[in-house]
Amino acid sequence: MSNDLETLESGVVADIAAASDEAALENVRVAALGKKGSISELLKTLGKMSAEERQVQGPAINGLKNRVTEALAARKAELRQVAVAARLASEKLDVTLPVRQSPAERGRIHPISQVIDEIAAIFGDLGFSIAEGPDVESDYYNFTALNFPEGHPAREMHDTFFFQPDENGERKLLRTHTSPVQIRTMEMQKPPIRIVIPGKTYRQDSDATHSPMFHQVEGLVVDKSANIGNLKWVLEEFCKAFFEVPSVTMRFRPSFFPFTEPSMEVDIQCDRSRPGEVRFGEGNDWMEILGCGMVHPNVLRAGGLDPDEYQGFAWGMGIDRIAMLKYGMPDLRAFFDADVRWLQHYGFRPLDMPTLFGGLSS
Ligand code: DAH
Protein backbone atom coordinates (compact mmCIF):
# COMPACT_ATOMS: atom_id res chain seq x y z
CA MET A 1 0.00 0.00 0.00
CA SER A 2 2.67 2.49 0.92
CA ASN A 3 4.35 1.70 -2.35
CA ASP A 4 1.12 2.47 -4.19
CA LEU A 5 0.91 5.79 -2.37
CA GLU A 6 4.43 6.70 -3.39
CA THR A 7 3.72 5.83 -7.02
CA LEU A 8 0.52 7.86 -6.93
CA GLU A 9 2.30 10.79 -5.30
CA SER A 10 5.18 10.88 -7.75
CA GLY A 11 2.71 10.66 -10.64
CA VAL A 12 0.63 13.58 -9.39
CA VAL A 13 3.72 15.61 -8.56
CA ALA A 14 5.06 15.01 -12.09
CA ASP A 15 1.72 16.10 -13.56
CA ILE A 16 1.80 19.24 -11.44
CA ALA A 17 5.28 20.08 -12.66
CA ALA A 18 4.25 19.44 -16.25
CA ALA A 19 1.14 21.67 -16.15
CA SER A 20 2.06 24.61 -18.35
CA ASP A 21 -0.82 26.92 -17.45
CA GLU A 22 -3.48 27.38 -14.83
CA ALA A 23 -6.13 25.50 -16.80
CA ALA A 24 -3.90 22.44 -17.13
CA LEU A 25 -3.07 22.65 -13.43
CA GLU A 26 -6.75 22.77 -12.56
CA ASN A 27 -7.25 19.53 -14.51
CA VAL A 28 -4.49 17.89 -12.45
CA ARG A 29 -6.13 19.12 -9.22
CA VAL A 30 -9.54 17.74 -10.20
CA ALA A 31 -8.00 14.40 -11.19
CA ALA A 32 -6.35 14.11 -7.75
CA LEU A 33 -8.49 16.03 -5.27
CA GLY A 34 -11.82 16.51 -7.07
CA LYS A 35 -14.90 14.59 -5.99
CA LYS A 36 -13.84 11.49 -7.91
CA GLY A 37 -10.13 12.28 -7.80
CA SER A 38 -7.57 9.58 -7.10
CA ILE A 39 -6.67 10.91 -3.63
CA SER A 40 -10.30 11.62 -2.74
CA GLU A 41 -11.15 8.00 -3.59
CA LEU A 42 -8.35 6.85 -1.28
CA LEU A 43 -9.69 9.01 1.56
CA LYS A 44 -13.08 7.34 1.14
CA THR A 45 -11.47 3.92 1.80
CA LEU A 46 -10.48 5.02 5.35
CA GLY A 47 -14.06 4.55 6.61
CA LYS A 48 -14.04 0.88 5.73
CA MET A 49 -10.72 0.09 7.42
CA SER A 50 -10.10 -1.50 10.75
CA ALA A 51 -8.95 0.87 13.50
CA GLU A 52 -5.37 -0.36 13.33
CA GLU A 53 -5.16 -0.09 9.61
CA ARG A 54 -6.67 3.39 9.71
CA GLN A 55 -4.07 4.48 12.25
CA VAL A 56 -1.39 3.76 9.69
CA GLN A 57 -3.20 4.72 6.47
CA GLY A 58 -4.96 7.84 7.83
CA PRO A 59 -1.78 9.88 8.37
CA ALA A 60 -0.24 8.45 5.17
CA ILE A 61 -3.16 9.40 2.89
CA ASN A 62 -3.77 12.75 4.60
CA GLY A 63 -0.07 13.50 4.43
CA LEU A 64 -0.20 12.74 0.70
CA LYS A 65 -3.24 15.00 0.30
CA ASN A 66 -1.54 17.85 2.15
CA ARG A 67 1.68 17.60 0.15
CA VAL A 68 -0.23 17.51 -3.14
CA THR A 69 -2.35 20.48 -2.01
CA GLU A 70 0.79 22.44 -1.23
CA ALA A 71 2.46 21.45 -4.48
CA LEU A 72 -0.63 22.61 -6.40
CA ALA A 73 -0.62 25.97 -4.59
CA ALA A 74 3.08 26.46 -5.21
CA ARG A 75 2.78 25.61 -8.92
CA LYS A 76 -0.24 27.88 -9.23
CA ALA A 77 1.70 30.81 -7.79
CA GLU A 78 4.58 30.05 -10.13
CA LEU A 79 2.32 29.90 -13.22
CA ARG A 80 0.65 33.15 -12.23
CA GLN A 81 4.04 34.80 -12.03
CA VAL A 82 4.93 33.52 -15.49
CA ALA A 83 1.59 34.74 -16.90
CA VAL A 84 2.04 38.21 -15.41
CA ALA A 85 5.58 38.43 -16.75
CA ALA A 86 4.41 37.42 -20.25
CA ARG A 87 1.61 39.94 -20.18
CA LEU A 88 3.94 42.70 -19.02
CA ALA A 89 6.34 41.84 -21.82
CA SER A 90 3.61 41.82 -24.48
CA GLU A 91 2.02 45.05 -23.29
CA LYS A 92 5.27 46.91 -23.03
CA LEU A 93 5.06 50.47 -24.23
CA ASP A 94 8.07 52.51 -25.27
CA VAL A 95 7.16 55.90 -23.87
CA THR A 96 10.22 57.42 -25.52
CA LEU A 97 8.77 56.84 -29.02
CA PRO A 98 7.64 60.04 -30.81
CA VAL A 99 3.91 60.77 -30.58
CA ARG A 100 2.04 60.07 -33.84
CA GLN A 101 0.35 63.15 -35.28
CA SER A 102 -3.43 63.26 -35.29
CA PRO A 103 -5.17 63.15 -38.72
CA ALA A 104 -6.10 66.81 -38.32
CA GLU A 105 -2.38 67.59 -38.02
CA ARG A 106 -1.19 65.34 -40.84
CA GLY A 107 -3.92 65.82 -43.45
CA ARG A 108 -3.70 68.65 -45.95
CA ILE A 109 -6.34 70.67 -47.77
CA HIS A 110 -5.79 70.81 -51.53
CA PRO A 111 -4.89 74.34 -52.72
CA ILE A 112 -7.97 74.36 -54.98
CA SER A 113 -10.25 73.65 -52.03
CA GLN A 114 -8.46 76.28 -50.01
CA VAL A 115 -8.76 78.88 -52.78
CA ILE A 116 -12.49 78.08 -53.19
CA ASP A 117 -12.87 78.66 -49.44
CA GLU A 118 -10.99 81.96 -49.79
CA ILE A 119 -13.27 83.03 -52.66
CA ALA A 120 -16.35 82.06 -50.63
CA ALA A 121 -15.06 84.06 -47.66
CA ILE A 122 -14.47 87.17 -49.77
CA PHE A 123 -17.80 87.10 -51.61
CA GLY A 124 -19.64 86.01 -48.47
CA ASP A 125 -18.40 89.19 -46.87
CA LEU A 126 -19.79 91.16 -49.83
CA GLY A 127 -23.24 89.62 -49.32
CA PHE A 128 -23.07 86.84 -51.94
CA SER A 129 -24.19 83.27 -51.38
CA ILE A 130 -22.88 80.08 -52.99
CA ALA A 131 -24.82 78.27 -55.74
CA GLU A 132 -23.96 74.96 -57.34
CA GLY A 133 -25.15 72.87 -60.29
CA PRO A 134 -24.48 69.48 -61.88
CA ASP A 135 -21.28 68.62 -63.75
CA VAL A 136 -23.28 66.58 -66.29
CA GLU A 137 -25.41 69.14 -68.11
CA SER A 138 -27.87 69.32 -70.95
CA ASP A 139 -27.07 71.14 -74.15
CA TYR A 140 -29.92 73.51 -73.20
CA TYR A 141 -28.36 74.81 -69.96
CA ASN A 142 -24.76 74.77 -71.17
CA PHE A 143 -25.45 76.52 -74.48
CA THR A 144 -28.98 77.26 -75.71
CA ALA A 145 -30.30 79.05 -72.62
CA LEU A 146 -27.07 81.06 -72.53
CA ASN A 147 -27.86 82.49 -75.97
CA PHE A 148 -25.56 80.27 -78.01
CA PRO A 149 -27.64 79.81 -81.18
CA GLU A 150 -27.71 76.30 -82.73
CA GLY A 151 -24.67 75.87 -84.94
CA HIS A 152 -23.00 79.03 -83.63
CA PRO A 153 -19.18 78.80 -83.84
CA ALA A 154 -18.86 79.71 -80.13
CA ARG A 155 -20.13 76.21 -79.35
CA GLU A 156 -17.16 74.74 -81.22
CA MET A 157 -14.73 76.86 -79.23
CA HIS A 158 -15.71 75.04 -76.06
CA ASP A 159 -14.15 71.67 -77.05
CA THR A 160 -17.03 69.91 -75.38
CA PHE A 161 -17.06 66.34 -74.04
CA PHE A 162 -20.37 64.86 -75.20
CA PHE A 163 -22.04 61.67 -73.97
CA GLN A 164 -23.74 59.17 -76.29
CA PRO A 165 -27.29 60.33 -77.13
CA ASP A 166 -29.96 58.80 -74.85
CA GLU A 167 -33.16 57.04 -76.07
CA ASN A 168 -34.77 60.45 -76.79
CA GLY A 169 -31.79 61.48 -78.88
CA GLU A 170 -30.70 63.98 -76.20
CA ARG A 171 -26.95 64.31 -75.89
CA LYS A 172 -25.76 65.15 -72.35
CA LEU A 173 -22.37 66.80 -71.92
CA LEU A 174 -19.81 67.69 -69.26
CA ARG A 175 -20.39 71.36 -68.59
CA THR A 176 -17.77 73.51 -70.29
CA HIS A 177 -18.26 76.41 -67.87
CA THR A 178 -20.12 77.27 -64.65
CA SER A 179 -22.46 79.65 -66.53
CA PRO A 180 -25.36 77.11 -66.78
CA VAL A 181 -25.88 77.59 -63.05
CA GLN A 182 -26.87 81.22 -63.83
CA ILE A 183 -29.97 79.88 -65.61
CA ARG A 184 -30.68 77.21 -62.99
CA THR A 185 -30.54 79.87 -60.24
CA MET A 186 -32.78 82.37 -62.06
CA GLU A 187 -35.32 79.58 -62.59
CA MET A 188 -35.44 78.89 -58.86
CA GLN A 189 -34.98 82.23 -57.20
CA LYS A 190 -36.46 85.71 -57.64
CA PRO A 191 -34.13 88.75 -57.77
CA PRO A 192 -32.28 90.25 -56.05
CA ILE A 193 -29.77 87.50 -56.90
CA ARG A 194 -26.20 87.71 -55.65
CA ILE A 195 -24.40 84.41 -56.10
CA VAL A 196 -21.01 82.94 -56.77
CA ILE A 197 -20.75 79.51 -58.38
CA PRO A 198 -17.52 77.57 -57.82
CA GLY A 199 -17.14 74.20 -59.49
CA LYS A 200 -15.54 71.77 -61.90
CA THR A 201 -15.66 72.37 -65.65
CA TYR A 202 -14.45 70.25 -68.57
CA ARG A 203 -12.92 70.78 -71.99
CA GLN A 204 -10.84 68.64 -74.33
CA ASP A 205 -7.57 70.38 -73.66
CA SER A 206 -4.41 69.22 -71.91
CA ASP A 207 -0.93 70.74 -71.47
CA ALA A 208 1.15 72.45 -68.75
CA THR A 209 -1.47 75.15 -68.28
CA HIS A 210 -4.64 73.29 -69.34
CA SER A 211 -6.27 70.25 -67.80
CA PRO A 212 -9.38 68.51 -69.26
CA MET A 213 -10.98 69.06 -65.85
CA PHE A 214 -10.48 72.50 -64.35
CA HIS A 215 -12.28 74.86 -61.99
CA GLN A 216 -14.18 78.07 -62.49
CA VAL A 217 -15.97 80.50 -60.28
CA GLU A 218 -18.88 82.35 -61.77
CA GLY A 219 -20.58 85.42 -60.34
CA LEU A 220 -24.09 86.66 -61.00
CA VAL A 221 -25.93 89.72 -59.75
CA VAL A 222 -29.47 90.44 -60.92
CA ASP A 223 -31.71 93.19 -59.60
CA LYS A 224 -33.36 96.34 -60.93
CA SER A 225 -30.27 98.54 -61.04
CA ALA A 226 -27.11 96.38 -61.28
CA ASN A 227 -24.63 98.15 -63.56
CA ILE A 228 -21.07 98.05 -64.88
CA GLY A 229 -19.90 100.41 -62.13
CA ASN A 230 -21.03 97.87 -59.53
CA LEU A 231 -19.35 95.06 -61.50
CA LYS A 232 -16.07 96.93 -61.63
CA TRP A 233 -16.13 97.66 -57.92
CA VAL A 234 -16.96 94.07 -56.95
CA LEU A 235 -14.14 92.68 -59.12
CA GLU A 236 -11.63 95.19 -57.76
CA GLU A 237 -12.58 94.43 -54.17
CA PHE A 238 -12.24 90.74 -54.92
CA CYS A 239 -8.80 91.04 -56.52
CA LYS A 240 -7.42 93.18 -53.69
CA ALA A 241 -8.73 90.78 -51.05
CA PHE A 242 -7.69 87.64 -52.92
CA PHE A 243 -4.15 88.70 -53.81
CA GLU A 244 -3.84 90.45 -50.44
CA VAL A 245 -2.57 93.75 -51.85
CA PRO A 246 -3.75 97.27 -50.92
CA SER A 247 -4.59 98.27 -54.49
CA VAL A 248 -4.90 96.76 -57.97
CA THR A 249 -5.16 98.33 -61.38
CA MET A 250 -7.52 96.57 -63.78
CA ARG A 251 -8.05 96.99 -67.49
CA PHE A 252 -11.43 96.22 -69.10
CA ARG A 253 -11.14 95.24 -72.79
CA PRO A 254 -14.14 94.80 -75.11
CA SER A 255 -14.73 91.14 -75.91
CA PHE A 256 -17.49 88.73 -76.91
CA PHE A 257 -19.54 86.14 -75.01
CA PRO A 258 -22.99 85.10 -76.25
CA PHE A 259 -24.48 85.49 -72.76
CA THR A 260 -23.34 89.06 -72.04
CA GLU A 261 -23.76 92.38 -73.82
CA PRO A 262 -21.55 94.29 -73.60
CA SER A 263 -18.84 91.72 -72.87
CA MET A 264 -15.39 92.43 -71.47
CA GLU A 265 -12.19 90.68 -70.61
CA VAL A 266 -10.34 91.91 -67.56
CA ASP A 267 -6.58 92.19 -67.21
CA ILE A 268 -4.84 92.91 -63.96
CA GLN A 269 -1.65 94.98 -63.79
CA CYS A 270 1.38 93.02 -62.68
CA ASP A 271 5.13 92.92 -62.48
CA ARG A 272 6.79 89.92 -64.13
CA SER A 273 10.34 91.29 -64.15
CA ARG A 274 11.55 88.93 -61.41
CA PRO A 275 11.99 85.38 -62.72
CA GLY A 276 9.37 82.91 -61.51
CA GLU A 277 7.42 85.57 -59.67
CA VAL A 278 4.37 87.68 -60.44
CA ARG A 279 3.46 90.69 -58.33
CA PHE A 280 0.16 92.47 -58.50
CA GLY A 281 -0.56 96.13 -57.93
CA GLU A 282 2.73 97.18 -59.60
CA GLY A 283 4.70 96.75 -62.83
CA ASN A 284 4.18 97.23 -66.56
CA ASP A 285 2.59 93.93 -67.54
CA TRP A 286 -1.03 92.83 -67.83
CA MET A 287 -2.47 89.43 -67.09
CA GLU A 288 -5.90 88.31 -68.25
CA ILE A 289 -7.87 86.87 -65.35
CA LEU A 290 -11.57 86.81 -66.22
CA GLY A 291 -14.46 87.46 -68.59
CA CYS A 292 -17.51 89.48 -67.64
CA GLY A 293 -20.35 91.65 -68.85
CA MET A 294 -23.95 92.71 -68.49
CA VAL A 295 -26.31 89.74 -68.64
CA HIS A 296 -27.82 89.46 -72.14
CA PRO A 297 -31.62 90.06 -72.25
CA ASN A 298 -32.09 86.63 -73.86
CA VAL A 299 -30.37 85.02 -70.87
CA LEU A 300 -32.67 86.84 -68.43
CA ARG A 301 -35.63 85.68 -70.52
CA ALA A 302 -34.35 82.09 -70.50
CA GLY A 303 -34.17 82.38 -66.70
CA GLY A 304 -37.82 83.48 -66.60
CA LEU A 305 -37.11 87.15 -65.90
CA ASP A 306 -38.38 90.21 -67.77
CA PRO A 307 -35.39 92.16 -69.16
CA ASP A 308 -37.46 95.35 -69.07
CA GLU A 309 -37.72 94.97 -65.31
CA TYR A 310 -34.42 93.33 -64.35
CA GLN A 311 -30.80 93.73 -65.31
CA GLY A 312 -27.63 92.09 -64.12
CA PHE A 313 -23.93 91.52 -64.47
CA ALA A 314 -21.90 88.33 -64.46
CA TRP A 315 -18.33 87.15 -64.62
CA GLY A 316 -16.40 83.91 -64.93
CA MET A 317 -12.89 83.20 -63.79
CA GLY A 318 -10.53 80.21 -63.82
CA ILE A 319 -9.70 79.14 -60.27
CA ASP A 320 -6.69 76.95 -61.01
CA ARG A 321 -4.72 79.73 -62.62
CA ILE A 322 -5.31 82.31 -59.89
CA ALA A 323 -4.38 79.62 -57.34
CA MET A 324 -1.13 78.96 -59.26
CA LEU A 325 -0.42 82.69 -59.35
CA LYS A 326 -1.14 83.29 -55.71
CA TYR A 327 0.74 80.32 -54.29
CA GLY A 328 3.57 80.03 -56.85
CA MET A 329 2.71 76.56 -58.17
CA PRO A 330 4.29 76.26 -61.62
CA ASP A 331 2.60 73.21 -63.21
CA LEU A 332 -1.16 72.75 -63.35
CA ARG A 333 -0.90 69.00 -63.99
CA ALA A 334 0.53 68.41 -60.51
CA PHE A 335 -2.79 69.66 -59.10
CA PHE A 336 -4.51 66.46 -60.19
CA ASP A 337 -1.70 63.90 -59.81
CA ALA A 338 -2.73 63.05 -56.21
CA ASP A 339 0.95 63.01 -55.17
CA VAL A 340 1.07 63.12 -51.38
CA ARG A 341 4.48 64.82 -51.41
CA TRP A 342 3.11 67.67 -53.55
CA LEU A 343 0.13 67.98 -51.23
CA GLN A 344 2.36 68.02 -48.14
CA HIS A 345 4.29 70.88 -49.72
CA TYR A 346 1.52 73.00 -51.23
CA GLY A 347 -1.46 71.90 -49.12
CA PHE A 348 -3.02 73.79 -46.24
CA ARG A 349 -3.63 72.76 -42.65
CA PRO A 350 -7.19 71.50 -42.18
CA LEU A 351 -8.03 73.89 -39.38
CA ASP A 352 -6.56 77.01 -41.03
CA MET A 353 -9.84 78.18 -42.46
CA PRO A 354 -9.57 81.34 -44.50
CA THR A 355 -11.43 84.32 -43.08
CA LEU A 356 -11.19 87.99 -43.87
CA PHE A 357 -10.67 88.96 -40.24
CA GLY A 358 -8.08 86.24 -39.56
CA GLY A 359 -6.19 86.79 -42.83
CA LEU A 360 -6.91 84.71 -45.91
CA SER A 361 -3.63 82.91 -46.32
CA SER A 362 -1.81 83.57 -43.03
N1 DAH B 1 -18.25 81.18 -69.31
C1 DAH B 1 -17.10 81.89 -69.82
C2 DAH B 1 -16.00 80.92 -70.18
O1 DAH B 1 -15.97 79.85 -69.63
C3 DAH B 1 -16.59 82.87 -68.79
C4 DAH B 1 -17.54 84.00 -68.56
C5 DAH B 1 -17.40 85.15 -69.31
C6 DAH B 1 -18.54 83.91 -67.64
C7 DAH B 1 -18.26 86.23 -69.11
C8 DAH B 1 -19.43 84.96 -67.44
C9 DAH B 1 -19.26 86.13 -68.18
O2 DAH B 1 -20.42 84.91 -66.55
O3 DAH B 1 -20.11 87.16 -67.97
O4 DAH B 1 -15.18 81.22 -70.99
Side-chain angles (χ1 to χ4, degrees):
M1 184 75 192
S2 70
N3 234 343
D4 288 354
L5 286 187
E6 275 170 27
T7 313
L8 177 62
E9 180 165 357
S10 59
V12 174
V13 166
D15 288 348
I16 290 172
S20 59
D21 57 31
E22 289 192 52
L25 188 64
E26 176 62 7
N27 289 339
V28 177
R29 186 192 68 76
V30 170
L33 300 176
K35 250 189 185 160
K36 299 220 163 90
S38 50
I39 296 174
S40 308
E41 293 296 336
L42 277 177
L43 284 166
K44 285 181 204 159
T45 63
L46 287 176
K48 293 178 193 123
M49 288 178 191
S50 64
E52 298 79 41
E53 207 181 349
R54 192 182 303 132
Q55 234 169 14
V56 180
Q57 290 300 327
I61 298 174
N62 275 305
L64 165 62
K65 181 192 168 187
N66 291 341
R67 285 191 299 283
V68 165
T69 304
E70 272 168 32
L72 280 167
R75 181 67 182 149
K76 187 167 183 164
E78 219 172 273
L79 286 174
R80 186 151 292 173
Q81 275 277 292
V82 171
V84 167
R87 192 167 154 202
L88 283 177
S90 74
E91 292 179 3
K92 193 169 82 176
L93 202 74
D94 184 352
V95 294
T96 65
L97 283 175
V99 178
R100 194 186 289 163
Q101 283 185 317
S102 77
E105 276 299 312
R106 260 190 323 160
R108 286 292 178 273
I109 301 291
H110 195 285
I112 294 296
S113 303
Q114 183 79 6
V115 163
I116 289 175
D117 287 348
E118 292 182 13
I119 292 169
I122 296 168
F123 284 109
D125 190 63
L126 291 175
F128 285 73
S129 44
I130 303 282
E132 287 179 315
D135 290 18
V136 176
E137 261 300 2
S138 64
D139 192 271
Y140 174 76
Y141 283 109
N142 197 78
F143 292 124
T144 311
L146 288 166
N147 198 37
F148 287 78
E150 299 284 349
H152 192 281
R155 288 186 184 227
E156 308 302 316
M157 282 159 52
H158 277 220
D159 300 315
T160 313
F161 288 109
F162 287 101
F163 289 84
Q164 295 291 348
D166 63 16
E167 59 275 16
N168 308 318
E170 201 208 332
R171 209 169 43 151
K172 284 269 172 33
L173 49 83
L174 288 174
R175 67 178 179 191
T176 58
H177 50 176
T178 41
S179 308
V181 187
Q182 290 192 23
I183 305 291
R184 290 181 174 277
T185 306
M186 285 188 269
E187 283 177 347
M188 280 170 12
Q189 184 184 327
K190 281 252 142 280
I193 294 171
R194 293 187 189 96
I195 51 160
V196 283
I197 308 153
K200 291 183 168 59
T201 47
Y202 307 82
R203 290 186 201 181
Q204 300 192 44
D205 209 350
S206 188
D207 59 35
T209 53
H210 294 90
S211 144
M213 187 278 292
F214 56 106
H215 298 83
Q216 287 190 339
V217 59
E218 187 95 6
L220 175 69
V221 172
V222 180
D223 58 26
K224 294 191 172 173
S225 63
N227 58 58
I228 289 192
N230 304 149
L231 167 64
K232 208 168 159 240
W233 182 83
V234 165
L235 293 177
E236 254 173 37
E237 287 305 302
F238 168 74
C239 287
K240 282 193 292 188
F242 181 75
F243 291 112
E244 300 178 65
V245 291
S247 69
V248 288
T249 306
M250 302 174 90
R251 183 169 79 172
F252 288 70
R253 280 182 291 107
S255 184
F256 172 79
F257 302 103
F259 35 89
T260 42
E261 181 58 37
S263 302
M264 290 158 287
E265 276 175 315
V266 177
D267 303 331
I268 169 167
Q269 186 187 32
C270 61
D271 180 358
R272 285 195 251 207
S273 59
R274 296 173 194 79
E277 196 186 333
V278 185
R279 291 190 185 206
F280 296 100
E282 52 189 282
N284 310 316
D285 263 325
W286 297 97
M287 181 178 294
E288 186 198 318
I289 58 160
L290 60 91
C292 62
M294 295 302 295
V295 179
H296 194 289
N298 287 348
V299 172
L300 291 170
R301 265 184 219 110
L305 301 177
D306 177 359
D308 290 330
E309 192 179 352
Y310 294 110
Q311 56 194 42
F313 58 82
W315 71 92
M317 186 164 53
I319 293 180
D320 312 80
R321 207 160 68 94
I322 62 169
M324 289 167 78
L325 284 171
K326 179 164 179 179
Y327 291 111
M329 298 172 285
D331 190 339
L332 177 66
R333 285 168 295 198
F335 277 47
F336 311 118
D337 278 349
D339 185 331
V340 171
R341 295 163 303 177
W342 184 87
L343 198 56
Q344 282 293 329
H345 184 78
Y346 287 112
F348 292 81
R349 294 177 171 279
L351 300 177
D352 286 354
M353 280 182 269
T355 58
L356 288 184
F357 53 87
L360 278 185
S361 63
S362 57

